[in-house]
Structures are given as C-alpha cells and as structure tokens.
Amino acid sequence: MSVFIQAFRHRALQLRVPRVVVTPHLMGRTIGPVGDAARQRDVVEAALQLLEDAAAPNTIRDFEAPA
Amino acid sequence: MSPAEGADRPPMTFEEFHQSFYYGDRADMQFKYLARMTDEEAADTVAALLRKLGEALDTGELDEARRLAFETQVRAYAPPDPPEPEVDDAPFAPLRGDLADLRLALVSAGGVFVAGDDPMGPDGPTQEECLGLIKEFLRGAATLSRIPVDTPADRLTARHPGYDATTAQRDINTVFPLAHLRDLETAGRVRLADEHYAFTGATSQTRLRNETAPRWAEHMAAREVDAAFLVAT
C-alpha cells in the first residue's frame, strides 16, 4: 500500500497505484508533522487497514484523523 | 542570499521574485510552488502567509498558517484537467492471510539513509548542495538504501532535491515511519522484514520503472518480503 499527500493525489490516479492513503499534509511530511507521533501512528494504522480492506485496484482512501 | 547581498543587485520584477523559489536564487522546497502561480496568485499567497505568520507571532498558534500553506500547495499542484492514467495497468495482489503473518518492508521515496552510509558515497552532497544537482538527479538512476530494521531513528538522515529534507532530518518519521512500525510489531499487529528501504524519488522515472525498481523487487522477494509500505514524498 502507498501513502501520498493531497497535493499529489492526482499522481496516484495517473500512476494507477493499487492502494493509496491520501494525507492532508504538507510536502515532505507525508506521514505527519514533525513531532506529532500520534498523527504519524494514525496514518500508519490507516495504511495497514487499507492493505487489509482493499478488494480492487485503485482503491484510494482519504485519511481522516480519528475523533 | 542575505538581504545585504541583494542590495547591490539590479531590480527584479515580481515574476522573477516568485519564480526564484523554484531552484533559483531563493530556492525553497517548501514554497517552490509559488513559481507555478500567476503574479496575482503568488502575491495574494505571500501576503496571506505573512498575515498568518504575523498572527502566529502573537498567538503562538501555527495551525492557521499551516492550513493556508497546505491549501495553497494543493491548489498550486492541482492539474488543470482531470488526470488521465499514465500507465496501462494497475497490478493488484489481494492480501492473502493475516497481516501479522506477512513480512512487511517499508520503502520510502524520501531519500532516507543511515548516517555514515550515504548511498552517494562519503562525499555525497548536503541537502543544500543537492538542490543545484536537481537535473543530475532527474537524469540519473536511483540508488537503494538498505536500512536494518533495528536502526534507531537518530541514526537516520535524509537528502532530497525535490522537497526540503531538513524536515525529515528533524523527525525521520515524517517520511520513514519505521519506529512506529516497530511499535506495531511489538504489539503483534505486523511482522517486519529485517531490512527496509529508501531512495530519492527525484530520479529518472523511466529508469526507475524499467530497470531499477524491478531489480529492487527481485531483491525484496529473495528476502521473502510479502508486502511493501510505500511512502511518496
């Protein structure tokens, strides 16, 4: 599975990446902001969940921080 | 370039100013997207960012400045039309079995490597120096950094001509979350390979697809890697 930032969401579509989590982060911080271990951990969990859930190619899921 | 150094230079247009963020005199990988904007868009963006920075100086809260930087970055990189696929297939391997039983490898395009084991050799360029080598990076073949699973985060560093890797130098988990994956392995959620990987994504995409990446995939398969966690930057 892959993690892309929102600014490059279109690149994931162009490349037809099989499984993608799209994060609302700045370039260079794909997994999360500096020092924000909780957010980074949530993104990693979301990517692993997508690996388990995806049933078809080009499955793109926008990351949403847990409430 | 410091303000004092710029004092003796000829006047510049505003277009030259915002274009210079893209590998010019003011090269800045955080804000190189200003070069993708019209003069008016760039002017509005710079003014808005400065306004939010001014507010942050009073409040200590950076969320609004961060949100604005994010929104303007997304707008600047958005293609004018819906993107068309560039590749003719979308390979998909269904997950077989439990995640905790699969051997997972982390692969980052963020230019991460173990300090002292620079994939470009002992005299490899610094982050600042590599911005001037962007054309050489884009023409060249990427090198795969092999990173043992037990490498402490403070032994990892990064260099990349396409984004500001000083962010990753401050916190490598921003692009290479190996420490978080190790925690999840301890919790029984995943099983990690003994070796993880990174390369510099600013590279010849043709070479990457046709030559380099297939070789890397063979290497990982030989090490019994079942799944890859890919991080784009």
Side-chain angles (χ1 to χ4, degrees):
Chain A
M1 90 302 292
S2 305
V3 186
F4 278 60
I5 57 170
Q6 178 71 29
F8 297 142
R9 190 181 206 279
H10 62 284
R11 293 296 295 155
L13 291 167
Q14 288 171 314
L15 295 172
R16 302 180 72 182
V17 179
R19 305 167 174 89
V20 184
V21 169
V22 176
T23 59
H25 299 150
L26 285 163
M27 186 191 296
R29 304 155 179 89
T30 311
I31 304 299
V34 169
D36 193 343
R39 167 61 72 93
Q40 295 166 0
R41 173 76 173 255
D42 287 342
V43 169
V44 171
E45 288 271 18
L48 296 174
Q49 192 64 52
L50 179 62
L51 178 59
E52 291 182 309
D53 294 347
N58 296 142
T59 302
I60 296 187
R61 185 173 293 170
D62 290 306
F63 173 78
E64 291 183 19
Chain B
M1 181 175 59
S2 70
E5 289 170 331
D8 297 331
R9 295 168 64 107
M12 73 173 69
T13 65
F14 183 70
E15 180 182 15
E16 289 169 337
F17 168 72
H18 68 92
Q19 292 292 328
S20 71
F21 282 74
Y22 186 82
Y23 300 103
D25 289 347
R26 292 165 188 77
D28 186 318
M29 298 299 97
Q30 302 278 354
F31 295 104
K32 65 180 178 180
Y33 63 83
L34 289 168
R36 302 174 65 91
M37 297 176 165
T38 64
D39 286 358
E40 188 166 351
E41 289 169 340
D44 289 346
T45 298
V46 171
L49 285 168
L50 289 174
R51 190 162 54 247
K52 293 300 179 188
L53 176 62
E55 291 172 8
L57 291 174
D58 289 338
T59 66
E61 294 293 328
L62 275 169
D63 286 353
E64 283 298 304
R66 185 181 289 117
R67 183 186 59 75
L68 180 64
F70 168 73
E71 289 175 353
T72 52
Q73 183 179 88
V74 169
R75 273 204 303 276
Y77 284 109
D81 299 306
E84 294 291 330
E86 287 183 1
V87 297
D88 54 11
D89 62 348
F92 183 79
L95 188 68
R96 293 191 177 89
D98 291 337
L99 181 61
D101 294 330
L102 302 179
R103 202 183 306 265
L104 184 72
L106 176 61
V107 184
S108 173
V112 178
F113 56 96
V114 179
D117 188 22
D118 189 331
M120 296 181 72
D123 298 320
T126 64
Q127 173 60 24
E128 187 176 359
E129 289 167 346
C130 81
L131 300 188
L133 300 171
I134 179 64
K135 290 180 180 173
E136 285 78 4
F137 273 92
L138 291 174
R139 281 195 295 261
T143 304
L144 191 66
S145 293
R146 301 176 186 181
I147 298 166
V149 65
D150 57 355
T151 307
D154 62 6
R155 290 268 296 127
L156 293 170
T157 188
R159 172 194 53 228
H160 198 292
Y163 78 94
D164 187 352
T166 55
T167 294
Q169 292 167 5
R170 294 181 187 113
D171 180 354
I172 206 70
N173 287 294
T174 52
V175 294
F176 196 76
L178 182 58
H180 296 306
L181 286 169
R182 279 198 301 257
D183 289 345
L184 290 167
E185 183 176 48
T186 300
R189 177 86 169 99
V190 296
R191 176 186 178 204
L192 297 180
D194 57 4
E195 188 177 81
H196 299 267
Y197 308 94
F199 65 102
T200 300
T203 186
S204 164
Q205 300 302 299
T206 303
R207 283 188 180 187
L208 184 64
R209 184 178 183 197
N210 297 335
E211 301 170 18
T212 326
R215 207 165 57 236
W216 296 348
E218 285 177 11
H219 171 83
M220 292 175 205
R223 298 183 72 92
E224 300 182 320
V225 170
D226 298 304
F229 187 121
L230 306 171
V231 181
T233 51

